[in-house]
């Protein structure tokens, strides 16, 4: 097993912040992944998987864990018996490309979600009224004691959540999609991408939605906009002037800057709307939002 020490997580996260991982490994196969998980269990190490790092905020001080990045056959995509089969580390962009080439539709909603198959399962990622539960046939979950295929009902999927815990790694995903002509898929994707560009800071360094949308009509973004927070800065981090539920790395941001903005946004939303916003972004390392009371 090829362990790298001290690799800065800022290199593995879309926001571009985060200190060093105590150890980083790139398993290329299911066997290598299971070996890494057994090693972590034997050494008492916390396991953290990073997909595209598009919904994580890692502590500036670093993360004391064995960080896994799935590569090789764990990042491949193929079609088997009409199913799209992706490694846990396969990017949504590659999955969508393969699905379109095979004339398989239904994955289009994920065109603007810059993550991996495994990250999609873990977060139950979604957009435009659809999420992973609409397309997931089953997922192969690896642990230190072996691997098992789990049905969606066994994964505990709900709004932007799954029941997967640390040390449970999505190694492979099977998607059940429907026949759709590639030209139709292409047109649908172009429309969704254009819509995204209009409303979200797609060309900036962010970690996607900061907070989950609270129940009710008013989304987190609109709520924070009404709090006057668009463009608000702490250090190098800024609440996006385009969509207030995004934090942009405006240059030299630290995770502490992002966290400070999150703390302020939660206070303001509670003060103005009586709503407690819950984080969507996953914290890695020693990061925590203080209680509001
Ligand atoms: C510009 C932008 C737009 C976005 N739009 C959306 C959107 O519309 N809808 C939406 O839902 N999300 C959106 N996101 C957030 C993010 O892309 C999704 O949550 C995505 O599914 C995360 O995948 P990832 O591979 O990057 O996971 P990471 O961010 O790397 O990790 C997220 C969590 O998943 C875990 N994880 C990652 N891989 C695995 C694995 N193989 N097995 C087990 N656990 C794993 C990590 O440990 C972590 O807990 C957006 C992000 C950005 C930057």
């Amino acid at each position: 097993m090829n362990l790298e020490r001290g690799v800065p997580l800022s290199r593995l996260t879309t926001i571009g912040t985060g200190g060093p991982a105590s150890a980083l490994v790139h398993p290329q196969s299911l066997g290598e992944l299971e070996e890494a998980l057994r090693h972590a269990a034997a050494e008492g190490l916390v396991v953290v998987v990073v997909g595209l790092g598009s919904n994580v905020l890692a502590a500036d001080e670093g993360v004391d864990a064995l960080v896994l990045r799935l590569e090789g056959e764990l990042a491949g995509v193929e079609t088997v018996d009409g199913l799209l089969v992706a490694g846990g580390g396969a990017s949504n962009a590659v999955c969508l490309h393969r699905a379109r080439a095979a004339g398989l539709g239904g994955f289009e909603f994920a065109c603007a979600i810059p993550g991996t198959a495994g990250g999609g399962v873990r977060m139950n990622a979604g957009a435009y009224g659809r999420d992973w539960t609409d397309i997931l046939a089953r997922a192969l979950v690896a642990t230190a004691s072996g691997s098992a295929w789990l049905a969606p009902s066994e994964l505990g999927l709900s709004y932007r959540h799954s029941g997967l815990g640390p040390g449970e790694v999505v190694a492979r995903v099977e998607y059940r999609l429907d026949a759709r002509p590639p030209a139709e898929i292409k047109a649908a994707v172009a429309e969704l991408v254009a819509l995204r560009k209009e409303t979200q800071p797609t060309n900036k360094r962010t970690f996607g939605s900061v907070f989950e949308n609270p129940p009710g009509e008013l989304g987190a973004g609109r709520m924070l906009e009404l709090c006057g927070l668009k463009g608000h800065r702490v250090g190098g981090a800024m609440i996006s002037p385009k969509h207030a539920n995004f934090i942009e790395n405006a240059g030299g941001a630290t995770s502490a800057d992002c966290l400070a903005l999150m703390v302020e946004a939660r206070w303001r939303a509670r003060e103005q709307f009586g709503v407690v916003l819950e984080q969507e972004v996953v914290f890695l390392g020693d990061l925590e939002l203080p209680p509001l009371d």
Side-chain angles (χ1 to χ4, degrees), residues 87-257:
S91 74
N92 296 336
V94 172
C95 290
L96 180 59
H97 181 78
R98 289 287 155 76
R100 193 184 75 194
L104 292 172
F107 199 72
E108 296 83 325
F109 76 89
C111 63
I113 304 179
T116 59
V121 175
R122 163 65 178 75
M123 300 305 295
N124 188 19
Y128 310 112
R130 304 200 80 205
D131 61 28
W132 248 241
T133 61
D134 293 303
I135 52 170
L136 185 64
R138 57 180 189 157
L140 180 66
V141 177
T143 66
S145 48
S147 304
W149 284 100
L150 299 185
S153 58
E154 297 171 290
L155 288 161
L157 302 174
S158 59
Y159 175 69
R160 303 298 173 264
H161 282 289
S162 68
L164 290 173
E168 294 183 305
V169 182
V170 177
R172 203 159 286 148
V173 175
E174 287 182 0
Y175 294 116
R176 184 166 289 115
L177 303 171
D178 302 312
R180 193 175 191 195
E184 265 186 36
I185 295 174
K186 194 174 173 187
V189 166
E191 211 173 292
L192 293 176
V193 168
L195 197 64
R196 267 300 162 116
K197 278 193 182 149
E198 248 175 58
T199 55
Q200 292 184 8
T202 50
N203 59 346
K204 305 286 180 194
R205 301 203 76 167
T206 72
F207 47 71
S209 295
V210 180
F211 298 106
E212 294 176 353
N213 280 321
E217 290 294 291
L218 203 55
R222 183 75 184 122
M223 201 176 274
L224 297 176
E225 181 179 349
L226 291 169
C227 291
L229 285 170
K230 272 187 165 179
H232 185 68
R233 286 180 79 129
V234 171
M238 173 171 67
I239 297 201
S240 172
K242 204 162 187 179
H243 192 307
N245 199 24
F246 284 75
I247 290 175
E248 296 178 8
N249 183 343
T254 62
S255 293
D257 296 339

Side-chain angles (χ1 to χ4, degrees), residues 45-92:
L45 299 169
V46 174
V47 170
V48 167
V49 200
V50 176
L52 241 59
S54 63
N55 211 187
V56 292
L57 185 66
D60 298 317
E61 296 70 30
V63 176
D64 188 13
L66 179 64
V67 176
L68 307 177
R69 200 121 202 264
L70 309 186
E71 293 180 354
E73 60 186 60
L74 295 176
V77 189
E78 56 184 342
T79 45
V80 180
D81 298 333
L83 293 169
L84 189 77
V85 183
S91 74
N92 296 336

